[in-house]
Amino acid sequence: MDKIAVLIPCYNEEKTIAKVIRDTKAALPEAVVYVYDNNSTDQTAELARQQGAIVRYEYMQGKGNVIRRMFREIDARCYIMVDGDDTYPMEFAPKMVDKVLCHNADMVVGDRLSSTYFEENKRPFHNIGNSMVKASINHLFGSEVKDIMTGFRAFSYGFVKTFPVLSKGFEIETEMTIHAVYNHMQIDNVIVDYRDRPEGSVSKLNTYVDGFRVLGTIFRLYRDYKPFGFFSLLAVLLAIIAILFFIPVLLGFLETGLVLKFPTLIVCGFVMMAAIQSFFAGLILSNMATKSRRDFEYRFSQVCKEERCKQGEEPCR
């Protein structure tokens, strides 16, 4: 087991990868640097290998697929994940490592939004999107995470080996954050500087397509992790619709003693039944989510025991 593993997912980063590796080795000389190449068509892999990094490959396109591969293959006490585009200064990495190794953090967020991000980033829609995602997740999940979509993070062994990677692309950061928040893992924050990409380096993030994917991920994970809240909101919405359309039918009946709009009455009845079903579906799924959390706590404790075993702190059985 490595003490510190630095994981760098890369796709066509030949302009910056060599500098990122040099900066990493200067900041964390004891770390093992892994570069995972995701079908690059330039010299990214060759340049990384020349700088002494261990180069591996993921052939399924997408950052989420790369992270799944990295988390499966690498064992370490502390993981640093950083993008290969040289937007994150590596001098902040030792402080993030200390949070994991000495202060029991499960995930450390490299917080760009509290420092230079809004000055350095030249894409205004990214600024708006980051703020919206941060506000929505903190509101929906009752958290106080400072930067949801940062690509600069540190993880414990327990987090990495229990995190189910479901996303394929850039929405993976959102998924990581919600997973940690929902399972009450210790999340620490380190404010880091941010610098825009150097000239000639091109972002792979599509503002609109990936933005909608992130919003879809938030919607999906809120439904999965907070089913009672999600289906209760749906039940209230359906009940309001049913009541609004039922009121004219009721007023007509009170005035004439006749039901003048039988189709509307029937539809209102079905919509109200759907609202009731949605409410009880939320109750059932909430109980299932509670059981899933209990199972996760047991699995997490087993993974932590496995980590101690690999470090030689207790006998393996």
Side-chain angles (χ1 to χ4, degrees):
M1 175 182 284
D2 301 325
K3 181 180 180 182
I4 304 170
V6 178
L7 310 180
I8 309 176
C10 281
Y11 173 60
N12 290 343
E13 299 290 3
E14 66 178 5
K15 298 287 185 182
T16 54
I17 187 61
K19 182 177 183 300
V20 172
I21 295 172
R22 288 195 300 269
D23 291 349
T24 298
K25 291 191 171 186
L28 298 170
E30 72 275 38
V32 181
V33 181
Y34 296 89
V35 171
Y36 274 74
D37 184 72
N38 192 207
N39 301 314
S40 295
T41 57
D42 60 9
Q43 301 299 308
T44 297
E46 289 78 1
L47 292 171
R49 198 174 286 111
Q50 290 173 13
Q51 294 297 323
I54 298 173
V55 179
R56 296 182 179 177
Y57 297 89
E58 171 55 50
Y59 299 103
M60 295 175 62
Q61 197 67 39
K63 188 174 183 179
N65 292 322
V66 179
I67 290 173
R68 181 187 297 110
R69 179 71 59 188
M70 293 190 300
F71 284 5
R72 285 177 181 174
E73 294 183 351
I74 308 300
D75 289 342
R77 291 180 60 198
C78 176
Y79 302 77
I80 292 285
M81 185 183 76
V82 65
D83 293 338
D85 55 10
D86 194 33
T87 55
Y88 300 99
M90 288 304 295
E91 56 261 31
F92 297 95
K95 186 175 181 180
M96 298 170 72
V97 169
D98 180 72
K99 294 281 190 182
V100 173
L101 295 182
C102 302
H103 295 87
N104 300 326
D106 291 299
M107 183 174 73
V108 182
V109 174
D111 175 16
R112 314 158 295 167
L113 303 186
S114 299
S115 62
T116 57
Y117 181 79
F118 294 106
E119 291 78 24
E120 287 287 324
N121 185 47
K122 304 302 189 297
R123 296 158 292 184
F125 285 109
H126 285 207
N127 297 341
I128 297 171
N130 271 282
S131 299
M132 287 179 58
V133 170
K134 171 186 170 182
S136 61
I137 288 180
N138 285 334
H139 176 72
L140 290 173
F141 290 88
S143 59
E144 296 181 357
V145 181
K146 302 299 183 182
D147 191 347
I148 304 295
M149 300 184 67
T150 177
F152 193 16
R153 298 171 187 250
F155 307 104
S156 67
Y157 179 87
F159 179 95
V160 165
K161 297 305 179 182
T162 59
F163 173 55
V165 181
L166 302 178
S167 300
K168 298 178 181 179
F170 286 99
E171 62 272 26
I172 185 68
E173 283 96 355
T174 304
E175 188 177 340
M176 287 176 174
T177 303
I178 294 176
H179 174 76
V181 168
Y182 177 76
N183 289 296
H184 302 300
M185 292 183 170
Q186 181 176 326
I187 304 173
D188 285 346
N189 188 75
V190 172
I191 297 176
V192 302
D193 290 339
Y194 177 87
R195 55 197 176 210
D196 206 7
R197 282 175 171 267
E199 187 175 352
S201 178
V202 180
S203 174
K204 318 305 182 300
L205 182 65
N206 185 298
T207 302
Y208 303 103
V209 174
D210 289 304
F212 281 115
R213 285 177 180 169
V214 168
L215 293 177
T217 299
I218 296 173
F219 177 86
R220 172 175 58 82
L221 294 177
Y222 183 69
R223 180 198 63 198
D224 294 343
Y225 287 148
K226 299 281 189 178
F228 183 71
F230 177 85
F231 285 99
S232 293
L233 288 174
L234 181 60
V236 169
L237 178 62
L238 291 172
I240 291 173
I241 293 173
I243 291 170
L244 288 177
F245 281 92
F246 176 72
I247 289 175
V249 178
L250 178 62
L251 293 177
F253 176 78
L254 293 176
E255 291 177 359
T256 64
L258 300 173
V259 177
L260 303 177
K261 299 179 180 179
F262 262 108
T264 302
L265 179 62
I266 293 171
V267 170
C268 288
F270 278 113
V271 172
M272 185 58 74
M273 289 175 60
I276 295 170
Q277 288 179 329
S278 179
F279 176 77
F280 282 103
L283 285 176
I284 295 169
L285 292 173
S286 180
N287 288 333
M288 294 174 64
T290 301
K291 181 182 182 302
S292 177
R293 181 179 287 179
R294 293 194 189 102
D295 293 341
F296 173 83
E297 288 298 325
Y298 174 76
R299 187 168 70 255
F300 189 76
S301 66
Q302 293 298 107
V303 168
C304 292
K305 180 180 179 180
E306 175 187 311
E307 180 188 11
R308 294 192 298 272
C309 174
K310 288 185 176 183
Q311 295 178 48
E313 294 181 5
E314 62 180 55
C316 300
R317 295 182 179 179

